[in-house]
Amino acid sequence: MEKSNSYNNVSVLIVGAGPAGLSAAITLKKAKPELDVVVIDKAQAPGNHNLSGAVLEPAAIAKLLDPIDPQWAESDAAKAVLLSRVDKDDVMFLLGKKMAFGIECAIKMAISFKLGFGQMSHHNDYICSVSKLTAWLCSIAQKLGVEVLHGFAAKDILWDSASHTATGVKLVDQGLDKESHKQRNYLPGETIHAKHVLLAEGCDGLLSETFIKKAGLKRQGNQLYSIGVKELIKVSDAQYQKFGAGRVVHAMGYPIWTPLIGPAMFGGGIMYPMGGNHIAVGMIVGLDYKYCDFNPQDALTLFKEHKFVKQFIDGGTVTEAGAKMIPEGGLYALPRDPATNAIGRSNVALLGDSAGFVNMLKIKGLHNAIDSGMAAAQAVADNLDTPLGLAGAYTRLLEQTTVLKEMDSAKSFRQTVARFGPLQGMPLSVLGGLLPKFHIEPDYQEMTTAQYRMKPSVKFDKDTFTAVAATHHREEEPCHLLIQDENICITQCWPKFGAPCITFCPAGVYETVHNEVKAANPSNCLHCKTCQRKCPFDNIRWTVPEGAGGPRYKTM
Ligand code: SF4
């Protein structure tokens, strides 16, 4: 779609065409067809920047789509996206390279004793690709008349500190060269003014974090992140049948956690069937890990080589891959207006992963993203003439839905594991609300000189990983990864930690060039933002590249 001045002044501007933003757009346009609702997204096409496991609770999507079409579940589109229901919910503990124990009985026991861990059950949830889910929701929104503009990358939120309101957002300039000189195709970033602004950019969103600072929102505790690296593997008919089209696997233990002897990292492996003989295999690791030489992709390789996993994927072909951060801090990390407790301020609301609505006891946030989008739509509809009431109304609605109740029920889990480590923290977290709020340092401060001892036999091929992620940026544009003080890299980070960004960046963006650490390959960037949160000197800033840059996920 061509950029046009007609978007300069809109009633509702939604930043981010993911499940949260599109749920807001769909609900709002259905309720108020006359309202101009515009969604902007930095990806080139719907779903290109969306990656998750994913299992989706049926209630959220039904609540969203029932008012649009009560028969939606019977449509070909729904069947193509919501592939199957979970009928086998394996929770495994992997010990060493060969042993695997099913620990579903622990989950069943937790359900019967009404313990928080019981939330980890995924039975009857949909198995889906979030890229495909997003593309489908985008088509539904567009049919209702929502303007969804892809390739529109926003670099700033315009915040009037006198009136404490957002007036709109500023898009990134296009057509600059590496030194930020204007080229012949230069286009200054437009300003889109809006009455209501919904921020639904996903984890660690640039505008969301800028807004949090500008509007003075505070978190009770630091946000914690994890990195997920994922591959889609085409396997044989026999392997796919053996795995099962309705089976999901969540595995703890090897290769990131071995009780007593280490390593000791929070996270685990996942396996989901994705149709067409494809199995998604992923590794999620809390960024509060301490090993300066750790590469999450090495952990993925070791997981794939484990005897239990290998039987299903051996000889398969990786057809797609990607990486993304997950906000894990939970209730204490929700950014709130200190005066009103609102998750947003005046005419701005934070939705989905932008706010941090991931329930780590469920290992899921997709249903909360959809629910938060619907709540934001309702809040806008109720405050059309009183936009400053948006954030407060939105938060009151979240309190009435399951979103904040769930976040409250899981509030101690991830914090306790971060404070005490997986061995003591997991069992201790059973005490739930009886536990105090622990102070948790930001992830980057947890880096130490400790080494991750388990190395795969083969070096992970990051070039192939980024190739199948189909990531792309214009080679001549300015580097969007800013090392704030290059001197720190060489004089402090390299001697102490060996420049961990070179190792942990899943796209191989960072390299040593003439004895300096550089973001040498920014065009490979997958927009995961790990470098911004795990550089041990907090010395990297991810800024937004030109619109349409980044990965082009289709089935992630
Ligand atoms: Fe992720 Fe940063 Fe690497 Fe880009 S440069 S892929 S944001 S770690």
Side-chain angles (χ1 to χ4, degrees), residues 227 323-325 466 471 473 480-481 501 504-510 519 521-522 524-533 540-542:
I227 171 72
K324 189 180 177 291
M325 280 204 312
T466 50
T471 191
H473 297 82
H480 67 283
L481 297 144
C501 59
F504 68 60
C505 167
V509 166
Y510 298 93
N521 310 301
N524 285 356
C525 178
L526 297 169
H527 297 198
C528 74
K529 324 252 180 84
T530 306
C531 50
Q532 172 159 269
R533 295 298 170 184
I540 298 175
R541 292 292 174 270
W542 186 94

Side-chain angles (χ1 to χ4, degrees), residues 358-402:
V358 173
N359 175 351
M360 283 310 293
L361 273 177
K362 286 189 171 179
I363 337 172
K364 283 188 283 220
L366 207 40
H367 60 297
N368 283 343
I370 292 171
D371 276 337
S372 70
M374 287 188 282
Q378 181 67 52
V380 172
D382 293 345
N383 287 275
L384 285 181
D385 300 322
T386 50
L388 300 193
L390 168 67
Y394 167 63
T395 309
R396 285 190 292 279
L397 286 164
L398 287 176
E399 281 159 1
Q400 288 161 24
T401 65
T402 51

Side-chain angles (χ1 to χ4, degrees), residues 164-390:
H164 304 296
T165 50
T167 54
V169 306
K170 180 96 172 91
L171 301 183
V172 73
D173 294 348
Q174 308 261 72
L176 294 170
D177 70 11
K178 278 188 188 301
E179 279 75 41
S180 294
H181 300 130
K182 294 174 187 170
Q183 294 184 303
R184 285 169 70 182
N185 60 345
Y186 173 73
L187 262 179
E190 285 181 59
T191 298
I192 304 179
H193 291 286
K195 217 161 127 184
H196 302 82
V197 179
L198 305 181
L199 296 175
E201 302 166 280
C203 181
D204 204 15
L206 183 74
L207 259 62
S208 308
E209 295 302 315
T210 306
F211 162 70
I212 289 165
K213 282 197 191 93
K214 284 186 175 181
L217 269 55
K218 298 277 179 243
R219 294 178 161 109
Q220 275 190 69
N222 286 310
Q223 183 58 280
L224 297 165
Y225 299 93
S226 65
I227 171 72
V229 286
K230 178 177 157 185
E231 291 179 345
L232 198 63
I233 303 176
K234 180 146 197 192
V235 301
S236 69
D237 288 346
Q239 286 170 314
Y240 197 73
Q241 277 165 24
K242 185 177 177 188
F243 186 78
R247 177 189 205 177
V248 294
V249 173
H250 295 92
M252 290 183 272
Y254 180 87
I256 61 169
W257 174 35
T258 307
L260 303 176
I261 60 169
M265 289 179 266
F266 178 75
I270 59 154
M271 297 178 79
Y272 299 159
M274 300 306 295
N277 284 6
H278 284 82
I279 299 178
V281 182
M283 174 58 59
I284 299 164
V285 184
L287 284 186
D288 51 349
Y289 67 80
K290 62 181 181 181
Y291 309 100
C292 61
D293 63 340
F294 177 67
N295 173 11
Q297 291 158 318
D298 284 346
L300 176 64
T301 306
L302 290 163
F303 178 64
K304 284 164 59 182
E305 288 173 349
H306 189 280
K307 191 179 168 197
F308 171 78
V309 180
K310 194 172 179 180
Q311 62 180 316
F312 301 113
I313 59 167
D314 199 23
T317 308
V318 177
T319 58
E320 208 173 329
K324 189 180 177 291
M325 280 204 312
I326 302 165
E328 294 192 342
L331 188 81
Y332 294 130
L334 297 178
R336 293 181 185 260
D337 180 342
T340 64
N341 225 22
I343 301 170
R345 186 164 188 186
S346 59
N347 63 336
V348 184
L350 289 156
L351 281 56
D353 280 10
S354 275
F357 293 135
V358 173
N359 175 351
M360 283 310 293
L361 273 177
K362 286 189 171 179
I363 337 172
K364 283 188 283 220
L366 207 40
H367 60 297
N368 283 343
I370 292 171
D371 276 337
S372 70
M374 287 188 282
Q378 181 67 52
V380 172
D382 293 345
N383 287 275
L384 285 181
D385 300 322
T386 50
L388 300 193
L390 168 67

